[in-house]
Amino acid sequence: MSAINIGQSVVLGAVEGLTEFLPVSSTGHLKIAEGLMNIPVENASVVGFSAVIQVGAIVACILYFFKDLVRIVAAWGRGLVNKEERYHHDYKFAWWVIAATVPIVVVGLAAKPLIDGPLASLWVVAGSLIVGSGVMWAADQMGRHKRGEDDTSFKDAMLVGCSQILALLFPGFSRSGATMSTALVLDLDRVAATKVSFFLGIPALTGAGIYELKDALGTGVGAAPLAVGTLVSFLVAYASIAWLMKFVASHSLNSFVIYRIIIGVLLFGLLGTGVLN
């Protein structure tokens, strides 16, 4: 019997799609949803399922930013064969994304037993939600919001890329929250910080989904729940991305900060009273 049924896959796909790119922690929300549905959060197939349905959200991100991504990839391709094209910012940015993905891949492989085991605890999720909220608030206050997407540098890309490790090790911290906060501290404006966060997340999240596919299929989750969860994730994520890009253009991150604190405190309460374990 599948560790996750079709109905549960719809719920988890919706949670993944809604929260993957919002700075509220998709991993944390998935673990909370799994706990409420009595799905074992540390089961290898469940961990794999969560990683695989991220691919639906990533496809949504690729489609939403398709023109930008085509421009960057095309510039990278031209630069490979034409030396003069290598001075173009898009060519350099493509290489920076590749380089900035290496640290999270190395840490992800080296720390996988911890990530799938002790660090998957809902207690860690609750604490990370609250601590991450403080980081997001401070970053939004500190940032001067004066630099655009074209002003990014290799240093920016590497620092933002490395910040993804926080969310990898501490589910609940939020990959988007960590990367957007880092970009804001580096004085990128909120729209640029959000787009850079998206672009740097595509390779890492896609790779994680492909890597975990064997665990999801091989140890307890059927192909049908995976397909349904991924499709729902795609549909909900596209709408979520469109909303977020409009929101950050004219709002601070304070709403997300408050929401995260409320969820973190609520989760501590549920764990402390034994409703979740």
Side-chain angles (χ1 to χ4, degrees):
M1 180 178 292
S2 174
I4 296 174
N5 61 40
I6 296 294
Q8 291 170 332
S9 72
V10 171
V11 174
L12 295 177
V15 171
E16 163 61 28
L18 181 63
T19 60
E20 179 59 59
F21 297 109
L22 300 184
V24 297
S25 176
S26 62
T27 302
H29 280 73
L30 282 171
K31 290 187 181 300
I32 293 170
E34 290 162 0
L36 290 173
M37 292 189 291
N38 294 317
I39 298 172
V41 298
E42 295 180 9
N43 182 284
S45 64
V46 175
V47 174
F49 175 89
S50 299
V52 171
I53 63 172
Q54 286 179 342
V55 176
I58 295 303
V59 173
C61 182
I62 291 172
L63 289 180
Y64 188 87
F65 292 107
F66 188 72
K67 291 182 179 179
D68 291 310
L69 295 173
V70 168
R71 186 193 77 237
I72 293 169
V73 172
W76 182 70
R78 290 193 301 269
L80 291 177
V81 297
N82 186 337
K83 186 176 181 180
E84 293 182 359
E85 294 288 340
R86 296 172 191 172
Y87 296 99
H88 197 287
H89 182 269
D90 286 339
Y91 170 79
K92 291 187 272 190
F93 184 74
W95 277 115
W96 298 343
V97 169
I98 294 171
T101 302
V102 173
I104 192 172
V105 172
V106 173
V107 173
L109 292 174
K112 193 173 189 304
L114 285 174
I115 295 167
D116 294 347
L119 293 178
S121 165
L122 288 174
W123 290 99
V124 175
V125 171
S128 298
L129 278 166
I130 294 173
V131 172
S133 298
V135 172
M136 285 174 53
W137 179 84
D140 208 11
Q141 298 301 310
M142 291 169 58
R144 290 178 286 178
H145 315 291
K146 67 177 185 177
R147 301 170 59 207
E149 181 186 347
D150 291 337
D151 298 319
T152 54
S153 65
F154 174 68
K155 175 185 175 182
D156 296 331
M158 290 302 297
L159 289 174
V160 173
C162 287
S163 70
Q164 296 180 107
I165 296 172
L166 285 171
L168 184 67
L169 296 178
F170 304 105
F173 201 97
S174 169
R175 190 203 63 81
S176 293
T179 52
M180 290 171 66
S181 295
T182 303
L184 288 171
V185 169
L186 294 169
D187 293 330
L188 270 69
D189 63 54
R190 294 187 184 98
V191 172
T194 304
K195 291 184 72 173
V196 170
S197 170
F198 285 157
F199 295 156
L200 284 168
I202 289 173
L205 294 174
T206 302
I210 294 172
Y211 181 79
E212 295 285 0
L213 181 61
K214 65 182 187 304
D215 288 336
L217 287 174
T219 56
V221 176
L226 269 177
V228 170
T230 303
L231 176 60
V232 173
S233 171
F234 164 76
L235 295 173
V236 177
Y238 193 92
S240 177
I241 293 168
W243 176 84
L244 179 62
M245 293 306 300
K246 292 179 180 179
F247 182 85
V248 297
S250 56
H251 295 82
S252 72
L253 300 183
N254 289 344
S255 298
F256 297 115
V257 170
I258 295 169
Y259 171 79
R260 288 169 56 105
I261 293 173
I262 293 172
I263 294 297
V265 171
L266 178 62
L267 182 54
F268 269 130
L270 292 172
L271 291 168
T273 57
V275 175
L276 289 177
N277 55 50

PDB file of all heavy atoms in Angstrom, residues 1-5 8 43 45 219-222 225:
ATOM      1  N   MET A   1       0.847  -1.195   0.000  1.00  0.00           N
ATOM      2  CA  MET A   1       0.000   0.000   0.000  1.00  0.00           C
ATOM      3  C   MET A   1       0.883   1.246   0.000  1.00  0.00           C
ATOM      4  O   MET A   1       1.891   1.304   0.685  1.00  0.00           O
ATOM      5  CB  MET A   1      -0.920   0.009   1.222  1.00  0.00           C
ATOM      6  CG  MET A   1      -1.833   1.233   1.289  1.00  0.00           C
ATOM      7  SD  MET A   1      -2.941   1.168   2.726  1.00  0.00           S
ATOM      8  CE  MET A   1      -3.978  -0.221   2.242  1.00  0.00           C
ATOM      9  N   SER A   2       0.469   2.248  -0.795  1.00  0.00           N
ATOM     10  CA  SER A   2       1.235   3.488  -0.877  1.00  0.00           C
ATOM     11  C   SER A   2       1.248   4.213   0.453  1.00  0.00           C
ATOM     12  O   SER A   2       0.256   4.253   1.179  1.00  0.00           O
ATOM     13  CB  SER A   2       0.631   4.396  -1.958  1.00  0.00           C
ATOM     14  OG  SER A   2       1.266   5.656  -1.973  1.00  0.00           O
ATOM     15  N   ALA A   3       2.418   4.797   0.791  1.00  0.00           N
ATOM     16  CA  ALA A   3       2.535   5.558   2.035  1.00  0.00           C
ATOM     17  C   ALA A   3       1.704   6.842   1.987  1.00  0.00           C
ATOM     18  O   ALA A   3       1.382   7.423   3.011  1.00  0.00           O
ATOM     19  CB  ALA A   3       4.003   5.890   2.303  1.00  0.00           C
ATOM     20  N   ILE A   4       1.363   7.287   0.777  1.00  0.00           N
ATOM     21  CA  ILE A   4       0.563   8.496   0.574  1.00  0.00           C
ATOM     22  C   ILE A   4      -0.518   8.182  -0.450  1.00  0.00           C
ATOM     23  O   ILE A   4      -0.219   7.715  -1.553  1.00  0.00           O
ATOM     24  CB  ILE A   4       1.439   9.664   0.085  1.00  0.00           C
ATOM     25  CG1 ILE A   4       2.473  10.039   1.149  1.00  0.00           C
ATOM     26  CG2 ILE A   4       0.590  10.879  -0.264  1.00  0.00           C
ATOM     27  CD1 ILE A   4       3.470  11.090   0.696  1.00  0.00           C
ATOM     28  N   ASN A   5      -1.787   8.443  -0.102  1.00  0.00           N
ATOM     29  CA  ASN A   5      -2.861   8.159  -1.051  1.00  0.00           C
ATOM     30  C   ASN A   5      -3.146   9.383  -1.919  1.00  0.00           C
ATOM     31  O   ASN A   5      -2.554  10.453  -1.735  1.00  0.00           O
ATOM     32  CB  ASN A   5      -4.115   7.667  -0.321  1.00  0.00           C
ATOM     33  CG  ASN A   5      -4.672   8.706   0.654  1.00  0.00           C
ATOM     34  OD1 ASN A   5      -4.696   9.899   0.363  1.00  0.00           O
ATOM     35  ND2 ASN A   5      -5.107   8.240   1.827  1.00  0.00           N
ATOM     36  N   GLN A   8      -4.353  12.584  -0.057  1.00  0.00           N
ATOM     37  CA  GLN A   8      -3.251  13.219   0.659  1.00  0.00           C
ATOM     38  C   GLN A   8      -2.294  13.906  -0.315  1.00  0.00           C
ATOM     39  O   GLN A   8      -1.758  14.979  -0.012  1.00  0.00           O
ATOM     40  CB  GLN A   8      -2.515  12.176   1.492  1.00  0.00           C
ATOM     41  CG  GLN A   8      -3.329  11.639   2.663  1.00  0.00           C
ATOM     42  CD  GLN A   8      -2.679  10.437   3.315  1.00  0.00           C
ATOM     43  OE1 GLN A   8      -1.932   9.675   2.667  1.00  0.00           O
ATOM     44  NE2 GLN A   8      -2.954  10.227   4.596  1.00  0.00           N
ATOM     45  N   ASN A  43       9.887   9.026   7.088  1.00  0.00           N
ATOM     46  CA  ASN A  43       9.893   7.904   6.161  1.00  0.00           C
ATOM     47  C   ASN A  43      10.594   8.311   4.869  1.00  0.00           C
ATOM     48  O   ASN A  43      10.338   9.379   4.320  1.00  0.00           O
ATOM     49  CB  ASN A  43       8.446   7.474   5.881  1.00  0.00           C
ATOM     50  CG  ASN A  43       8.368   6.273   4.962  1.00  0.00           C
ATOM     51  OD1 ASN A  43       8.569   6.396   3.766  1.00  0.00           O
ATOM     52  ND2 ASN A  43       8.071   5.118   5.534  1.00  0.00           N
ATOM     53  N   SER A  45      10.328   7.335   1.801  1.00  0.00           N
ATOM     54  CA  SER A  45       9.461   7.561   0.652  1.00  0.00           C
ATOM     55  C   SER A  45       8.712   8.892   0.766  1.00  0.00           C
ATOM     56  O   SER A  45       8.443   9.559  -0.232  1.00  0.00           O
ATOM     57  CB  SER A  45       8.462   6.412   0.504  1.00  0.00           C
ATOM     58  OG  SER A  45       7.596   6.346   1.620  1.00  0.00           O
ATOM     59  N   THR A 219      10.201   2.983  -2.346  1.00  0.00           N
ATOM     60  CA  THR A 219       9.995   2.573  -0.961  1.00  0.00           C
ATOM     61  C   THR A 219       8.635   2.953  -0.394  1.00  0.00           C
ATOM     62  O   THR A 219       8.498   3.250   0.775  1.00  0.00           O
ATOM     63  CB  THR A 219      11.089   3.205  -0.066  1.00  0.00           C
ATOM     64  OG1 THR A 219      11.067   4.626  -0.240  1.00  0.00           O
ATOM     65  CG2 THR A 219      12.457   2.673  -0.401  1.00  0.00           C
ATOM     66  N   GLY A 220       7.589   3.007  -1.258  1.00  0.00           N
ATOM     67  CA  GLY A 220       6.283   3.157  -0.652  1.00  0.00           C
ATOM     68  C   GLY A 220       5.311   4.147  -1.232  1.00  0.00           C
ATOM     69  O   GLY A 220       4.157   4.184  -0.822  1.00  0.00           O
ATOM     70  N   VAL A 221       5.707   5.001  -2.175  1.00  0.00           N
ATOM     71  CA  VAL A 221       4.782   5.942  -2.789  1.00  0.00           C
ATOM     72  C   VAL A 221       4.570   5.546  -4.237  1.00  0.00           C
ATOM     73  O   VAL A 221       5.526   5.427  -4.997  1.00  0.00           O
ATOM     74  CB  VAL A 221       5.304   7.397  -2.705  1.00  0.00           C
ATOM     75  CG1 VAL A 221       4.366   8.346  -3.453  1.00  0.00           C
ATOM     76  CG2 VAL A 221       5.424   7.827  -1.251  1.00  0.00           C
ATOM     77  N   GLY A 222       3.324   5.354  -4.645  1.00  0.00           N
ATOM     78  CA  GLY A 222       3.041   4.940  -6.007  1.00  0.00           C
ATOM     79  C   GLY A 222       3.192   6.063  -7.009  1.00  0.00           C
ATOM     80  O   GLY A 222       3.265   7.244  -6.660  1.00  0.00           O
ATOM     81  N   PRO A 225       0.000   8.838  -6.968  1.00  0.00           N
ATOM     82  CA  PRO A 225       0.078   9.963  -6.022  1.00  0.00           C
ATOM     83  C   PRO A 225       1.177  10.962  -6.378  1.00  0.00           C
ATOM     84  O   PRO A 225       0.994  12.175  -6.219  1.00  0.00           O
ATOM     85  CB  PRO A 225       0.368   9.267  -4.683  1.00  0.00           C
ATOM     86  CG  PRO A 225      -0.197   7.904  -4.837  1.00  0.00           C
ATOM     87  CD  PRO A 225       0.069   7.538  -6.270  1.00  0.00           C
TER      88      PRO A 225
END
